[in-house]
Amino acid sequence: MRDVAIVGFAQRQMEEFDGSPTCVELLVPLFAECYEQTGWNRHDIGFWCSGSSDYLAGRSFSFVSAVDAIGVIPPVNESHVEMDAAWALYEAWLKIQTGEVDTALVYGFGKSSAGVLRRTLALQLDPYTMTPLWPDTVSLAGLQARAGIDAGTWDERAMAEVVNRSLTDAEKNEYAIRKGGSSVDELLARPMYADPLRKHDCAPVTDGAAAIVLAAGDRARSVSDRPAWISGIAHNVDPISMGNRELTRSPSTAAAAAGLDLTGVEVAELHAPFSHQELILRSELGLADDVAINPSGGALAGNPMFTGGLIRFGEAAKQVWSGNADKVLAHATSGPALQQNLVTTLEGRS
Amino acid sequence: MTRTLSAPVTVAFDYTRSTGPVIGRFLTGLRDGVVVAGRTSGGEVVVPPLEYDPDTHDQTSDFVEVASVGTVTSWTWVPEPVKDQPFDRPFAFALVTLDGATRPFFHALDVASPDEVSTGMRVQVRWAAERTGAITDIECFEPATDAGPTGVEALGDNPVTGVITPVSLDYLYAASPEESAFYRGLNEGRILGQRCPTCSKVYVPPRSACPADGTPTAEEVEVSQTGTITTFCIVNVPFLGQKIVPPYVSAYVLLDGADIAVLHLILGVPADEVRMGMRVKAVWKPREEWTYSLENIDHFEPTGDPDADYDTYRHHL
Ligand SMILES: [Zn+2]
C-alpha cells in the first residue's frame, strides 16, 4: 500500500446557487484555492475525479461540461461517479495505489435547488417497485426514524440533542447554511413536519461544491508539514429495498468499520442527513462518548448533494492539519436511508 | 436582482424496461389481484420477491401467494406530497408486513391525518380500478375492514414482461453569468462573446471557463454578425420535435472575431449550393419577436462575397 494523504480542501455551500447547474463558475475558484494550498497548478494533478448527478442538473453528461473548470489542453486523466464525491475520492485513492499517478484532485458539485430535491432522488430507487410511487427522501428517512423510535433504540429527545449540538457547532462554520443552537426543549416544541420528523431533523436543501487534493508519500510531504494520512478506507452496501434491511441499523457501516482500526479516534465527521442517522452511525462505529462528532455542524447544517460526504473528509482532514487531533474518522453515505457507507481514518504523524 | 437568467424546463422520458421472470411474476400477480412473494433459502418470505437469493445467489424460483391484508411495521406522514405520488393530498407511506410474509412491503396508506395511523394497525390492499401489471396496480393500503379487500377479477395468463415508467422532472434552469450576458445581448440585437485572458480565444456563447486552460473568461467582446460556414449538413431525415420541414441546411458559422462556431440554419440558397467557406450574415426576426434566445436570429444567408480562404478557418473545424 502506498501512503496517501489529504493535502488540500476547499468548499462552498449555499441555499441557492445563482448560476448554472454545471457549477463550472463555482468550481474554478475552488480549484484555485487548492492550487494555492499546494503551490501546484493543474499540470501537477495526475488524476481528476468528480461526483455529481445528471438528474440533479437536468441535463445529460453534466460532468463533462464541468471539466471546463479544469482546462483540458494537454488532455487530462479524468473520471466520474454518479454518487457522492467521497466515492470519487475512493476511486482516486485506488488510482494512486496503482502507481499510475501520485496526485489527484477530487471534486463534487450539485445545484439541488434547480428541481425538487426530495422528489428527484426517488430516481435512485428500484425502478419497478419503488420509483413509480415517487418515495421522497424525507419519507424514507421518516420510516427509518419511526422504526427506531418504535423499537426504543432512540427517541425524539435524542434526535433533538443531535440537532441542537449540530446547529450550535455550525455557528463557527462560515459555510453552514443553517445554524444557531437553542435548546432541546425548544426544538421539541416545534411542530412535526413529516411525522416523526421535524424540519430541523432533515438536512436543508443545499447547493454547493467541494474539492480535495490527494497526494502520495513525498509529494504530500512536500506541500504540507502535517498531511492527513489515509490510514484506513472501506465501503459497503446494504440492500436498496427498505423491507430487506434492519432499518434501525446500518450493517454496511459496521462492515466497513470492521476492516479498520478505530481505536484512538478523537473526532468523527459523520455524514448523517437526518438526525437519527447520526445515532445509527455512532452506534455502528462503536464510537466512545468522548469522541467529538461533527464539530463542523455536519450535514444538518448544510448538505450539498453529491458533495456532503466529501466535505466530511475535508472537515476531518482540517482537524489533523491544525494539530487539533492525531486521529480522526470521516464517513460518507449515498443512496436512500444510509444504504451505502464509506468509512475512513485519517492520521497526523509527527 | 439575480446575476443570471433562468427559465422553467421539464425533462421527460418514458423508461421502458423488461421485467424478467421474478419481477414479471410479481407484477403479473398484481395485475391479476394477488400478491406474490418469493421464499429465500433462509426461509424469509419477501414482497416484492428478490430476484436472487441473498445467500445462495440463485435466481428466486420459490413463489408463494400472501394475503392482501397485513400489519403496519413503520410509517411516516407526507405533509407536502410531490408530483406523481399516489395522492396529491397529505397521506402516509408505510411498511406493511402482509399476512404470510416475513418482510415488510413499501406502499402508500390512505388516511386523512397522522392520528389515524399507528404502528401495528391492520391494513388491506385497495386495488386499482384498472390494472396493467405495475406496482401502481395496488392503489394504496387502507385501514382493514371486516369484509377485507374487495375481490378482483382474475385476468388469466399472458404474463407481464415489461413496464413503461414515465418520468417527468421540472427544473428552474439557470444559465451561467457568462451565458446570461450572451442572452441579454441577443435581446439587444448584439452577439456577445468573451475572451480568455490566458489564450485570447473568444468563445461564443461565452463559457464560465476556457475549456482549454480553465481560466474564467472575463473580457466581453461583441463579435461580427457576418461569418464563414466551416462545416454543414443537409438534414433530410424527419425526427420528433423537428420545427423545420426537411431538407434544410444546418451549419457551423464562425463569426468574424470569434474562435468557436455557432450552429444555425442556412436559408436563401439552395441546399446543394451551400459549401465550406461560404460567407453568410445573420438575419434577425422582427424586433417585437425578440427574447433571450439565439432564435432571435431567424437564420443566416449568403452575403454574396467571395468564399473565405481555407486557412482562415482551418483551425476552427
Ligand atoms: Zn484559454
Side-chain angles (χ1 to χ4, degrees), chain A residues 18 25 42 55 58-59 68 71-73 111 114 118-119 127-128 134 136 139 143 146 150 193-195 244, chain B residues 3-4 15 17-18 74-77 80 83-85 103 119 168 171-174 177 207-208 211-213:
Chain A
D18 183 22
E25 62 269 41
R42 63 194 178 95
Y55 286 109
R59 63 195 296 179
D68 275 11
V72 293
I73 295 176
K111 184 172 167 164
R118 64 193 170 98
R119 180 174 186 270
Y128 299 98
W134 292 89
D136 58 285
S139 293
L143 290 173
R146 169 94 54 209
D150 286 344
Y193 174 62
D195 194 337
N244 282 292
Chain B
R3 293 182 302 162
T4 63
Y15 287 89
R17 294 185 168 93
S18 57
S74 188
W75 61 276
T76 186
W77 191 243
E80 296 170 0
K83 193 170 88 173
D84 298 329
Q85 282 185 335
R103 296 281 180 86
T119 304
S168 174
Y171 299 90
L172 185 65
Y173 201 84
R207 310 165 75 115
S208 301
D213 49 51

Side-chain angles (χ1 to χ4, degrees), chain A residues 104-179:
Chain A
L105 196 152
V106 178
Y107 59 104
F109 60 94
K111 184 172 167 164
S112 306
S113 68
V116 179
L117 177 65
R118 64 193 170 98
R119 180 174 186 270
T120 304
L121 292 176
L123 290 164
Q124 68 184 337
L125 301 167
D126 172 75
Y128 299 98
T129 63
M130 295 281 282
T131 301
L133 303 173
W134 292 89
D136 58 285
T137 331
V138 172
S139 293
L140 295 182
L143 290 173
Q144 186 179 39
R146 169 94 54 209
I149 291 170
D150 286 344
T153 310
W154 58 77
D155 57 19
E156 289 180 29
R157 176 161 290 270
M159 290 160 63
E161 282 166 359
V162 168
V163 174
N164 195 44
R165 196 211 64 236
S166 297
L167 298 186
T168 304
D169 285 343
E171 290 167 19
K172 299 188 290 287
N173 182 350
E174 63 176 303
Y175 299 107
I177 68 163
R178 187 188 284 167
K179 60 179 87 176

